[in-house]
Amino acid sequence: MICLTGLALLTLFRLSAVLANVPSSFGRLDGFRFSPLIANTNRTPDDALRKRDLTWQQALDDGGDILAKLAGPGQQSVWSTVQQLTDNGWTVTDAEPDYQTNEYYGGANGPYNTLHIRQSTGYQVIAKQDRSFSNCHSDDVERTLGLYRNIYNVVGRTIVGTYNYSPLYYAAMNHPGPDLSPYVPRVYQYSDIMFILWADQVRHYGVAASTLRYIFKHEIVTPSTRNIMRAAAGLEMIPEEDQDPKEPEQGEQLEVPWPGHQFLPGTQEFQALMGTPHGKGIAYLILQHRNEMPGKTIESITMFTTGDDEEYSLLFTLTEK
């Protein structure tokens, strides 16, 4: 059995971004940075939504660190199958296509058409941590209700992140103390679960997981990521003390309909966006699955807004390797 001590779990969580995209009507969590304080029982989900504020320089530093890791060999994840999810209390189901997201991205001038992304049924696949599980602390741990829901379009070589939150989110909210390891399943990270479900989808089509080309992050409300996106567009960042997770539409808003702004490696904007929770999560998807995606890295990052509400989106374009 693979087990993590409290210290190891905290260290791992600091190094890896647990991405999440939860519609604002339900409350959102987009890859918060963990600290022991987050498990304080006096904290609320709103506190967790704030996460650590990122200055431009901090984002550059974090982005430089993750890009250095991407240049290395990575560390292969031990999690690779749907059966491992099932064994850890996850239930995996298909859902109807996300018609709203398809409407945002699939218009005549949207990214699906301009990038020539072929469309399949575009099923959403849902992984919900809705059953009790065992870990190295107990043989019967209460379910967390963590949930990851994404659109997997194999023929279009695309994943669209739509609605995601981690078991660690609820563990931090529901249990006191700095050690969350007794309350989470052994497999819980967004980068692992997204890859497992992508690999399962491509298997049905008889193609390699390395065909993955585009990863969209839709409707981003994480203050730290939104702030860096604003700064990359030349807008003023919002100080941490003025941020309200319930009201993401604060300050001067980004308005860059597709094709948006594209940033390439070697630019400060690319590096800073890689230092956000969203950038780190995509990096770990690659770093932890080198065996299945050898030579894969991130070719460009495009930020753009969609819909009447100018929802923030990011597109990570991966190399063809």
Side-chain angles (χ1 to χ4, degrees), residues 255-274:
E255 295 184 16
V256 283
W258 182 263
H261 295 319
Q262 184 186 71
F263 303 111
L264 301 178
T267 64
Q268 283 202 340
E269 293 86 355
F270 180 92
Q271 183 169 323
L273 288 167
M274 286 302 303

Side-chain angles (χ1 to χ4, degrees), residues 7-319:
L7 179 59
L9 183 63
L10 299 189
T11 302
L12 178 60
F13 194 48
R14 287 192 182 103
L15 291 174
S16 62
V18 180
L19 293 184
N21 294 303
V22 183
S24 55
S25 59
F26 290 87
R28 300 285 294 256
L29 179 71
D30 288 293
F32 62 89
R33 290 165 173 256
F34 184 77
S35 78
L37 295 178
I38 203 167
N40 188 311
T41 53
N42 294 322
R43 289 177 63 86
T44 68
D46 289 341
D47 294 323
L49 286 169
R50 296 178 189 277
K51 296 173 278 296
R52 191 193 82 167
D53 187 36
L54 275 179
T55 66
W56 182 256
Q57 187 58 53
Q58 287 168 334
L60 284 174
D61 292 345
D62 288 357
D65 290 343
I66 200 67
L67 289 171
K69 290 183 172 68
L70 272 175
Q75 183 173 358
Q76 187 69 19
S77 174
V78 298
W79 310 115
S80 60
T81 68
V82 173
Q83 184 60 53
Q84 288 173 321
L85 294 181
T86 301
D87 292 343
N88 280 272
W90 294 87
T91 299
V92 177
T93 57
D94 289 343
E96 290 297 317
D98 185 328
Y99 294 106
Q100 183 186 59
T101 302
N102 287 338
E103 179 182 351
Y104 283 161
Y105 292 172
N109 298 314
Y112 290 167
N113 284 319
T114 58
L115 294 172
H116 306 292
I117 296 175
R118 294 173 56 198
Q119 294 303 296
S120 62
T121 51
Y123 280 116
Q124 293 188 93
V125 180
I126 299 173
K128 187 172 185 179
Q129 209 290 300
D130 58 356
R131 293 177 290 108
S132 61
F133 57 92
S134 64
N135 59 23
C136 50
H137 298 274
S138 173
D139 290 332
D140 186 19
V141 184
E142 183 180 359
R143 64 184 184 176
T144 65
L145 296 180
L147 186 147
Y148 295 110
R149 185 171 74 188
N150 299 281
I151 300 171
Y152 297 87
N153 174 6
V154 175
V155 299
R157 304 183 297 166
T158 302
I159 298 174
V160 181
T162 60
Y163 184 110
N164 298 280
Y165 56 95
S166 166
L168 279 171
Y169 173 64
Y170 284 114
M173 292 302 102
N174 295 329
H175 300 283
D179 184 4
L180 296 182
S181 59
Y183 311 111
V184 296
R186 290 168 292 159
V187 53
Y188 64 90
Q189 291 179 286
Y190 178 91
S191 54
D192 276 326
I193 293 172
M194 183 168 70
F195 182 82
I196 288 171
L197 298 180
W198 169 254
D200 185 60
Q201 292 293 307
V202 299
R203 179 176 57 83
H204 295 300
Y205 285 77
V207 299
S210 59
T211 57
L212 180 60
R213 175 73 164 152
Y214 303 108
I215 303 176
F216 290 90
K217 297 303 299 177
H218 175 56
E219 202 175 330
I220 294 168
V221 300
T222 307
S224 57
T225 299
R226 289 171 67 95
N227 245 349
I228 298 303
M229 291 173 70
R230 272 192 290 264
L235 303 179
E236 185 177 355
M237 297 178 70
I238 299 173
E240 181 178 20
E241 61 270 17
D242 295 333
Q243 295 175 10
D244 184 351
K246 289 183 177 179
E247 300 291 339
E249 304 304 326
Q250 297 170 278
E252 188 178 3
Q253 291 304 301
L254 190 67
E255 295 184 16
V256 283
W258 182 263
H261 295 319
Q262 184 186 71
F263 303 111
L264 301 178
T267 64
Q268 283 202 340
E269 293 86 355
F270 180 92
Q271 183 169 323
L273 288 167
M274 286 302 303
T276 67
H278 291 76
K280 288 183 177 181
I282 304 303
Y284 277 102
L285 169 71
I286 296 169
L287 282 167
Q288 294 172 338
H289 303 95
R290 290 289 198 200
N291 291 352
E292 298 87 354
M293 299 193 296
K296 185 77 75 175
T297 190
I298 298 168
E299 182 177 286
S300 67
I301 303 173
T302 304
M303 66 180 193
F304 61 102
T305 54
T306 61
D308 295 336
D309 295 330
E310 300 291 347
E311 302 289 357
Y312 286 32
S313 292
L314 286 171
L315 165 62
F316 296 84
T317 300
L318 309 187
T319 55

